[in-house]
Amino acid sequence: MPSPVKALGQPRPSSPTMDLQGGCCCSPAALQKGLPILGWLPDYSLQWLKMDFIAGLSVGLTVIPQALAYAEVAGLPPQYGLYSAFMGCFVYFFLGTSRDVTLGPTAIMSLLVSFYTAHEPAYAVLLAFLSGCIQLVMGCLRLGFLLDFISCPVIKGFTSAATITIGFGQIKNLLGLQDIPRQFFLQVFYTFRNIGETRVGDVVLGLICVVLLLVLKLMRDHVPPVHPEMPPGVQFSHGLVWTATTARNALVVSFAALIAYSFEVTGYQPFVLTGETAKGLPPMRVPPFSVPTANGTISFSEMVQGMGTGLAVVPLMGLLESIAVAKSFASQNNYRVDANQELLAIGLTNMLGSLVSAYPVTGSFGRTAVNAQSGVCTPAGGLVTGVLVLLSLGYLTSLFYFIPKSALAAVIIMAVVPLFDTKIFGTLWHVKRLDLLPFCTTFLLCFWEVQYGILAGALVSLLLLLHAVARPKMQVSEGPVLLVLQPDSGLHFPAVEALREVLMSRALEVSPPRCAILDCSHICSLDYTVVLGLGELLEDFHRQGVTLALTNLQVPVLRVLLSANLKGVQYFSTLEEAEKYLKQEPGAQPYNISEESVPEQKVTLLKV
């Protein structure tokens, strides 16, 4: 039921977890930063307990059918989805910095697991362990900033391609087709080739489930909030509708399983069923560092080689997805998250999850939305979700046998459809058309090989970034005897040649040569290569008998030029003074780059 606090028009109670300040490693603030539960647990209240319980229950009823469905996407037995769904709930309770985020199996991560583990559970579990180790190391070294180098168009391109791949991958289950390859292009070919083998029962049931899920979602989006002045009967009916629409995945899957069981009793089964699901809790054991086979034992090094670039792609994409979800909901609900602490939480989740046969997990946008909409107040809501998943493993696995695969396909399709941003192409076109290049590169190549798509998109983004650094925009004002050049951004070593080309072509290679002013208003730092380039330009201007003057130098730039001891540098405080002097008008004198001629207050700053 919606939070009564929100119904009164007040913000949800915020937790001290969300905005911690660092200190020395032994200080209480530093301890709270490393163990965020210490920030909010002392203030925990009965009101928070009520809201967290409702939210945890809502997420639990969502994650159980999704976990079964995502195991199918990962190419693993259904119980592995449930094995992956509870560890994150308990770890995030202690280490999470977002009250809304839920960690567990997701559609995109399941697709990556399917791609890099050849549908072998041992490989999937080892990938979870190794991904967790990588994520933990990144968190300890505070390397969360590295994720900033993967641009949004690359992420959008990957997400859009993954959405289509996952969605189309469920068409075979929706049609009841068997023996369809998992590679995307082969999947498309064989799905259309075998369309004549479609099972009517699966199609009808799958479409009914899709319609029911869509209707319940629309109802959920339009349920008005409960107000205290409403009559008790109206409040109860609103609460009932809200509960049913929030737990729509569980309701629809249960409805489909009941229909399938009814047919089973009659001796006729028109649906492809999920089949046997291993009963009971997963055993605690170390990840498989080798796999015995009929032809011998596959060693750890061979397993690692088999996973290949997945050891980089899976942990990075897991971090990207989880931190993106955390920051999105933190922004919406007005609190802050610590990216490096999130790295530790997801890394430890994957490491410990591998001990219970989980495959790699990350933050789920859909379930996090359910959590937030349910009025969750702290990460404690995850405890309820985790316990619910464990109970389903202990007591409900025998019932999972009768779940039709077409119903799970409907759940997956409805879960991934919102991930496809239909407006992204138009948005990029209007904002910056060059961003379409990394987006389209990633989008198209991800249908071939996921790692190639992400790598190529990131490389294209990097090239665009380097091009902007190497060829910065420059405003040029030309007069008969004077050229004014103002770079729109900082000068770094790749831009030296562009700067030289403009000054040579516009000032020295014209007849007669003319003086030039370099307006440094937007330049806050220089590197050694730029200083050498300026020195060469000054010599070229001196040989031609004209002047290259600098204006609006900031203190860090002055410090660099003073340290470089360039000869013959003249600079002016303002552009107007430089123009007066070079046009031989009275009233302006240049400063030379030396401690004697730099204004006293700037010399003081230079020596700081």
Side-chain angles (χ1 to χ4, degrees):
M1 187 176 297
S3 165
V5 178
K6 293 175 72 178
L8 291 172
Q10 301 173 356
R12 275 184 283 160
S14 60
S15 164
T17 306
M18 311 314 166
D19 191 12
L20 302 176
Q21 301 297 323
C24 70
C25 60
C26 298
S27 68
L31 189 59
Q32 284 186 9
K33 190 175 180 66
L35 202 61
I37 185 177
L38 299 177
W40 55 264
L41 191 59
D43 299 319
Y44 204 75
S45 64
L46 286 176
Q47 182 189 17
W48 287 8
L49 176 63
K50 174 187 173 183
M51 302 312 302
D52 286 345
F53 180 82
I54 293 173
L57 192 63
S58 302
V59 175
L61 292 175
T62 302
V63 72
I64 292 172
Q66 281 190 345
L68 295 170
Y70 291 151
E72 161 71 21
V73 176
L76 302 173
Q79 65 269 20
Y80 281 88
L82 294 173
Y83 294 166
S84 306
F86 65 85
M87 184 59 73
C89 301
F90 300 122
V91 172
Y92 205 78
F93 172 72
F94 293 98
L95 299 180
T97 61
S98 168
R99 63 171 174 244
D100 299 305
V101 166
T102 64
L103 299 180
T106 65
I108 290 176
M109 189 55 62
S110 300
L111 176 67
L112 293 176
V113 169
S114 169
F115 187 82
Y116 289 111
T117 62
H119 315 144
E120 289 291 337
Y123 280 76
V125 174
L126 181 60
L127 182 57
F129 175 77
L130 296 177
S131 296
C133 291
I134 293 170
Q135 291 162 339
L136 264 181
V137 169
M138 290 182 68
C140 291
L141 297 179
R142 307 191 69 78
L143 298 179
F145 72 92
L146 293 177
L147 301 178
D148 297 337
F149 288 94
I150 301 181
S151 66
C152 190
V154 173
I155 299 171
K156 288 287 188 179
F158 164 71
T159 304
S160 300
T163 300
I164 294 174
T165 302
I166 295 167
F168 193 87
Q170 295 308 305
I171 296 298
K172 65 180 186 296
N173 291 328
L174 208 62
L175 302 178
L177 301 179
Q178 302 289 325
D179 302 322
I180 302 295
R182 288 184 174 269
Q183 204 281 331
F184 180 74
F185 295 110
L186 291 176
Q187 194 173 85
V188 173
F189 174 75
Y190 279 97
T191 297
F192 283 106
R193 195 184 78 165
N194 298 344
I195 199 77
E197 301 175 13
T198 298
R199 297 167 61 99
V200 176
D202 284 299
V203 173
V204 172
L205 182 62
L207 292 178
I208 289 174
C209 290
V210 168
V211 172
L212 286 175
L213 288 169
L214 181 60
V215 170
L216 289 172
K217 183 180 185 304
L218 293 174
M219 290 176 62
R220 175 68 176 84
D221 294 339
H222 292 85
V223 172
V226 177
H227 296 290
E229 59 270 16
M230 287 181 175
V234 176
Q235 289 190 34
F236 175 78
S237 62
H238 274 66
L240 191 62
V241 171
W242 183 87
T243 303
T245 53
T246 300
R248 57 185 176 274
N249 288 329
L251 286 179
V252 169
V253 168
S254 301
F255 162 76
L258 185 61
I259 292 177
Y261 179 75
S262 302
F263 277 102
E264 187 78 14
V265 171
T266 65
Y268 171 70
Q269 187 54 264
F271 314 119
V272 178
L273 303 181
T274 297
E276 199 68 39
T277 301
K279 186 177 181 180
L281 303 179
M284 289 282 293
R285 57 191 175 195
V286 296
F289 294 104
S290 62
V291 179
T293 65
N295 299 322
T297 300
I298 301 176
S299 66
F300 173 73
S301 60
E302 291 173 325
M303 294 178 72
V304 170
Q305 290 174 7
M307 289 183 281
T309 54
L311 290 175
V313 173
V314 170
L316 284 178
M317 293 310 300
L319 293 175
L320 274 173
E321 190 172 359
S322 185
I323 292 177
V325 169
K327 287 186 176 180
S328 173
F329 282 86
S331 176
Q332 291 178 25
N333 297 321
N334 196 28
Y335 62 86
R336 294 176 59 191
V337 294
D338 183 341
N340 290 299
Q341 183 67 25
E342 292 294 303
L343 293 183
L344 295 176
I346 190 173
L348 192 61
T349 293
N350 280 320
M351 279 190 66
L352 296 180
S354 68
L355 302 179
V356 291
S357 302
Y359 66 80
V361 301
T362 184
S364 165
F365 191 90
R367 294 193 297 274
T368 298
V370 170
N371 207 25
Q373 292 165 2
S374 303
V376 70
C377 295
T378 72
L383 294 181
V384 181
T385 301
V387 169
L388 202 59
V389 174
L390 291 175
L391 289 175
S392 70
L393 275 168
Y395 301 102
L396 300 179
T397 49
S398 58
L399 302 179
F400 297 156
Y401 178 92
F402 297 101
I403 298 176
K405 286 191 174 182
S406 59
L408 293 179
V411 170
I412 295 173
I413 290 172
M414 293 304 295
V416 300
V417 164
L419 298 179
F420 189 86
D421 189 350
T422 56
K423 299 179 181 178
I424 184 63
F425 188 89
T427 301
L428 292 177
W429 179 266
H430 290 103
V431 173
K432 188 179 181 182
R433 295 177 186 178
L434 269 180
D435 282 341
L436 286 170
L437 199 55
F439 171 81
C440 293
T441 301
T442 306
F443 178 76
L444 294 174
L445 288 182
C446 276
F447 289 113
W448 174 36
E449 296 276 357
V450 171
Q451 71 268 30
Y452 294 155
I454 297 172
L455 182 61
L459 183 59
V460 171
S461 291
L462 181 61
L463 290 176
L464 293 177
L465 179 63
L466 291 177
H467 182 269
V469 173
R471 295 294 181 268
K473 293 183 178 179
M474 301 183 189
Q475 296 182 18
V476 181
S477 301
E478 297 184 68
V481 295
L482 188 62
L483 174 77
V484 179
L485 182 66
Q486 183 188 58
D488 286 349
S489 58
L491 283 180
H492 304 279
F493 67 90
V496 171
E497 192 57 37
L499 177 66
R500 180 179 183 82
E501 182 181 337
V502 173
L503 287 174
M504 293 291 290
S505 62
R506 302 285 188 94
L508 297 185
E509 294 177 357
V510 297
S511 183
R514 53 188 170 184
C515 299
I517 300 173
L518 182 61
D519 187 346
C520 302
S521 303
H522 300 145
I523 300 174
C524 58
S525 65
L526 297 177
D527 56 44
Y528 179 67
T529 306
V530 175
V531 171
L532 286 182
L534 285 175
E536 293 173 358
L537 283 169
L538 288 169
E539 292 177 3
D540 291 336
F541 273 79
H542 181 70
R543 281 195 293 268
Q544 295 280 0
V546 289
T547 302
L548 172 61
L550 307 180
T551 66
N552 297 314
L553 293 178
Q554 299 184 37
V555 171
V557 176
L558 272 169
R559 183 182 292 117
V560 171
L561 293 177
L562 183 62
S563 301
N565 196 27
L566 289 181
K567 302 299 182 182
V569 179
Q570 293 183 329
Y571 86 91
F572 298 82
S573 297
T574 65
L575 180 61
E576 291 75 16
E577 289 182 3
E579 289 177 339
K580 282 183 179 180
Y581 178 80
L582 294 178
K583 291 178 181 179
Q584 299 182 349
E585 296 178 4
Q589 290 296 323
Y591 298 107
N592 293 316
I593 300 296
S594 65
E595 291 194 11
E596 290 76 19
S597 59
V598 174
E600 181 179 346
Q601 67 273 23
K602 291 193 175 182
V603 170
T604 303
L605 290 171
L606 290 175
K607 292 181 177 179
V608 173

